[in-house]
Amino acid sequence: MSTHAPNEAQVIPLRPQASPPGSGGETRAPQRPAGAPQTPAPREPLWRNLVGDVLRRERLAQERTLKDVAEAARISMPYLSELERGRKEASSEVLAAAAQALGLGLADLLSLAQDDLARYARPRVGRGRTSPTAQYDGLCLAA
């Protein structure tokens, strides 16, 4: 028989939790090896998240509802919501329909998502990495 209340789950931490300094707790945080980075590098965003962010941003900028855009795109409202939240990977046909419902072309939608990805990558360039366009020595016309 369990000593837990019927509606409470027992939570078992995967890692020992560090106790606050000076609290006298027995558990300590594991030591990092010398030279190890202090914080993990941020993960690159997934393409579906970038596209979903653009869809939502454009819809809200036009002050339109999910229902309105979903009907115009002839896709279900829950599916459009999942696209906007980056939960679903849409086909090019669905992306084109959603973009058209927002008054955009597919190229416009993908270009806006690529711009967001490029903004994410820019801060990382200064940390000893070269940008993808730097290897072309000025042949790239990116803004």
Side-chain angles (χ1 to χ4, degrees):
M1 183 167 279
S2 174
T3 60
H4 294 286
N7 290 331
E8 291 182 21
Q10 180 181 8
V11 178
I12 302 170
L14 296 176
R15 293 186 204 139
Q17 296 178 350
S19 56
S23 67
E26 299 92 19
T27 310
R28 292 183 48 184
Q31 295 293 323
R32 289 194 175 118
Q38 292 293 352
T39 57
R43 296 176 66 182
E44 287 188 322
L46 297 175
W47 184 247
R48 67 176 184 243
N49 290 330
L50 294 168
V51 171
D53 288 344
V54 171
L55 289 172
R56 175 169 281 157
R57 194 168 55 238
E58 290 296 317
R59 179 179 61 80
L60 294 175
Q62 296 175 19
E63 298 181 354
R64 294 176 66 188
T65 63
L66 270 171
K67 182 179 180 186
D68 175 42
V69 175
E71 286 176 355
R74 299 179 60 101
I75 57 179
S76 74
M77 191 172 65
Y79 188 68
L80 178 58
S81 174
E82 293 206 337
L83 290 178
E84 286 187 356
R85 291 181 291 136
R87 305 274 192 225
K88 295 288 183 186
E89 194 85 49
S91 68
S92 58
E93 292 88 356
V94 170
L95 290 178
Q100 185 176 11
L102 292 166
L104 302 170
L106 180 59
D108 299 322
L109 174 67
L110 300 181
S111 178
L112 290 167
Q114 189 274 332
D115 291 346
D116 288 351
L117 182 60
R119 274 192 289 281
Y120 168 81
R122 262 186 221 121
R124 300 177 67 194
V125 172
R127 290 187 271 162
R129 296 183 180 183
T130 57
S131 71
T133 57
Q135 62 185 323
Y136 297 106
D137 295 325
L139 296 178
C140 182
L141 301 176

